[in-house]
Amino acid sequence: MQPEIFAAGAVLWRPGEDGPELALIHRPKYGDWTFPKGKLKRGEHLLAAAQREVFEETGIKPVLGRPLAPSFYDKEGKLKRVDYWCATPAAEEAVDEAVDPREVDDLEWIPLDRVSERLTYERDQPVLEDFSREIARETVPIVFVRHAIAMSKADWFDQDELRPLNQRGRERAQQLEVLLAAFPPGVAYSSTSARCLETLLPYCAAEGVAVTGLPEFTLGTSKPAQATARLDEIIESGKPAVICGHGEHIDEMIAYTSGRLGTTVPVGPLEKGEFVVFHTAGGRVVATEHHD
């Protein structure tokens, strides 16, 4: 049976005096205590929905960490799937005006060892268990993006490195602005080709992140040893990073990073505009995810 209803949310947590504290919301319509989540709007991406729903139900902008196991349950005869992420608050203060009291009338930060007894639904327990398997801490994402769709080579009569995105590619770059902003901001690296730089431009402009064009990540000018040395630097820095490159190279960089961090390659060749996220902690991968 395939899901017919899709939703997204997060296990929002913060450090407390005696360990992690998790945010649970109370919904007056159902009289329940649960994690913030909600249904996707038509055409909405899971990452965008998770950010929006958590903010609307808590007034807190979430910074997403590793993905958690999805929850499946029956909703009026239809199978519903809810995707969750670990998340931390982007700021200390909540925006109370963002929350409709008819939807959510209370939020409490509960110590981790008391959350299980406060949750109303049994279906939320596996989500909590998945969260608890990994010691609660902020993970560091390394994101690999294949550039969005560019103008056809047949329609471009200048240097290939200057070939820009087409209309569909620019639309995808605008979508990536929202999706990449789900994760902690860090540093951005790109091939020096226009189509790669343009893919990250909306995100970098919105988040105030500088993008560095690197010849070693550029088609036709890169040298494998230089590219892997640069990846080693990025991994060892322990800082969040977004890397945009060409299909010919981005899959090799993903494969190298997988081996370097001791995990399997999370996906086959990326299509244009797709991205992979390695969530790392303590020099190892704790989760990966792929988004088209």
Side-chain angles (χ1 to χ4, degrees):
M1 186 176 179
Q2 295 297 315
E4 297 182 66
I5 304 172
F6 296 88
V11 176
L12 189 65
W13 71 279
R14 69 184 184 186
E17 291 184 2
D18 299 315
E21 297 176 342
L22 276 58
L24 297 185
I25 59 168
H26 183 265
R27 301 185 298 177
K29 180 178 178 180
Y30 303 102
D32 59 9
W33 287 95
T34 186
F35 300 119
K37 66 179 182 305
K39 289 192 296 184
L40 274 63
K41 294 181 178 180
R42 185 176 180 84
E44 189 176 31
H45 193 283
L46 283 169
L47 289 172
Q51 295 176 77
R52 176 183 57 77
E53 284 291 344
V54 171
F55 181 70
E56 290 178 357
E57 294 195 333
T58 67
I60 297 169
K61 180 182 177 183
V63 178
L64 303 188
R66 67 182 176 96
L68 299 171
S71 175
F72 296 88
Y73 58 92
D74 179 82
K75 180 70 172 179
E76 300 176 352
K78 297 180 179 179
L79 183 60
K80 182 174 182 178
R81 171 176 173 147
V82 186
D83 283 86
Y84 288 98
W85 283 262
C86 296
T88 52
E92 300 228 349
E93 296 296 324
V95 181
D96 294 332
E97 296 80 4
V99 182
D100 184 345
R102 295 169 298 181
E103 299 290 333
V104 175
D105 62 356
D106 199 6
L107 180 151
E108 288 189 21
W109 290 95
I110 311 294
L112 178 59
D113 60 2
R114 289 174 41 209
V115 173
S116 180
E117 64 189 47
R118 290 293 300 274
L119 287 169
T120 299
Y121 303 113
E122 185 64 30
R123 62 177 180 252
D124 286 341
Q125 296 293 339
V127 180
L128 175 62
E129 290 171 9
D130 192 4
F131 174 88
S132 302
R133 283 192 192 101
E134 183 73 27
I135 297 173
R137 53 183 166 179
E138 295 186 45
T139 52
V140 176
I142 303 174
V143 185
F144 291 93
V145 186
R146 183 178 176 184
H147 72 73
I149 299 174
M151 286 184 61
S152 169
K153 292 181 180 180
D155 297 328
W156 184 251
F157 303 103
D158 207 329
Q159 287 179 256
D160 186 65
E161 193 171 327
L162 299 177
R163 183 158 54 91
L165 299 180
N166 64 13
Q167 180 60 33
R168 287 181 60 197
R170 291 193 293 273
E171 290 171 357
R172 179 58 176 167
Q174 291 175 338
Q175 294 169 346
L176 286 169
E177 173 191 332
V178 176
L179 304 184
L180 297 178
F183 306 111
V187 291
Y189 301 98
S190 172
S191 153
T192 58
S193 294
R195 52 195 180 275
C196 296
L197 291 164
E198 289 180 11
T199 297
L200 293 186
L201 183 59
Y203 161 72
C204 290
E207 296 298 306
V209 174
V211 58
T212 301
L214 297 175
E216 55 266 42
F217 290 169
T218 304
L219 184 65
T221 62
S222 67
K223 295 181 179 179
Q226 293 178 350
T228 55
R230 178 69 72 168
L231 285 172
D232 286 339
E233 291 179 7
I234 293 170
I235 293 168
E236 291 166 7
S237 74
K239 297 178 181 178
V242 177
I243 301 165
C244 184
H246 308 269
E248 294 87 339
H249 293 157
I250 203 75
D251 296 321
E252 294 177 2
M253 288 193 278
I254 291 171
Y256 177 80
T257 302
S258 298
R260 177 74 163 69
L261 294 174
T263 189
T264 58
V265 177
V267 69
L270 288 183
E271 298 294 330
K272 292 178 180 176
E274 293 185 346
F275 62 97
V276 163
V277 186
F278 291 86
H279 295 277
T280 68
R284 66 186 182 91
V285 172
V286 297
T288 61
E289 54 186 310
H290 164 237
H291 294 284
D292 57 17

